[in-house]
Amino acid sequence: MSRLRVFSDNTPDIPALVTHAHDEIARGLAEIGVGFEQWNATQPVQPGDAPETIMSAYREDIDRLVRERGFKSIDVVSIAPDHPNRAEMRTKFLDEHFHKEDEVRFFVAGSGLFTLHVGERVYEVLCEAGDLISVPDSTTHWFDMGDEPNFIAIRFFTEADGWVGHFTGTDIAQRFPRYDRET
Ligand SMILES: [Fe+2]
């Protein structure tokens, strides 16, 4: 179940707000310029399907987003819990960073934890299958796929080299909850 928790950036143990309602999550994130939508597949998709098959199941929403936002390329990324490089892949974006283009991800299956640091607040978003999240460029954030990562996501890009992580060097991400499939 998707979830938003909002914290003050100095109280990682006590969320000021917790909600599982998609409309409340979308409203809360809209306040900081982050997009959050739900998309439905027009045909069933299975793990192991070709990227073209996966994308065709969401063709109308993909085309609308590309039209509205001018994305130049799209890909499908898939990671299973037994991936041999999962630990290394998990570590890559675990610390606070930003990008010079929007980070836009649609979760076809599985889940992942995006945490955004805006002003003195921390917005932790558990994204599940059917969720699209759109993090504006320059918004500081981190992403945790967990120790047994499991997701298929469609990624949208504007620039060939835009999605480079610029790390802030803070330790805030280490003070906040990591992805935990039990909570
Ligand atoms: Fe990122």
Side-chain angles (χ1 to χ4, degrees), residues 38-54:
Q38 273 65 51
W39 292 1
N40 294 311
T42 54
Q43 63 202 52
V45 288
Q46 322 276 352
D49 279 349
E52 298 71 32
T53 307
I54 291 170

Side-chain angles (χ1 to χ4, degrees), residues 53-67:
T53 307
I54 291 170
M55 287 197 265
S56 72
Y58 298 96
R59 181 51 61 195
E60 277 185 25
D61 283 311
I62 290 173
D63 288 350
R64 172 179 55 82
L65 201 66
V66 167
R67 219 171 31 241

Side-chain angles (χ1 to χ4, degrees), residues 97 99 103 141 163:
H97 65 278
H99 307 280
E103 183 166 347
H141 65 276
W163 195 56

Side-chain angles (χ1 to χ4, degrees), residues 122-138:
V122 169
Y123 298 74
E124 177 204 71
V125 192
L126 178 62
C127 294
E128 299 273 6
D131 294 344
L132 174 100
I133 188 167
S134 174
V135 179
D137 68 273
S138 304

Side-chain angles (χ1 to χ4, degrees), residues 58-125:
Y58 298 96
R59 181 51 61 195
E60 277 185 25
D61 283 311
I62 290 173
D63 288 350
R64 172 179 55 82
L65 201 66
V66 167
R67 219 171 31 241
E68 288 172 0
R69 307 275 296 273
F71 293 111
K72 301 283 198 315
S73 64
I74 304 168
D75 70 8
V76 176
V77 62
S78 180
I79 179 164
D82 61 351
H83 194 293
N85 298 334
R86 63 188 181 278
E88 186 188 338
M89 293 168 81
R90 182 188 189 191
T91 307
K92 201 166 176 203
F93 292 110
L94 265 184
D95 280 319
E96 188 184 46
H97 65 278
F98 64 92
H99 307 280
K100 292 183 178 172
E101 73 168 57
D102 298 354
E103 183 166 347
V104 183
R105 304 286 181 266
F106 173 70
F107 285 81
V108 174
S111 58
L113 192 71
F114 270 96
T115 308
L116 318 161
H117 183 204
V118 177
E120 293 176 347
R121 286 182 157 189
V122 169
Y123 298 74
E124 177 204 71
V125 192

Side-chain angles (χ1 to χ4, degrees), residues 95-98 117 138-142 165-173:
D95 280 319
E96 188 184 46
H97 65 278
F98 64 92
H117 183 204
S138 304
T139 298
T140 50
H141 65 276
W142 53 94
H166 299 274
F167 287 84
T168 60
T170 72
D171 67 351
I172 186 167

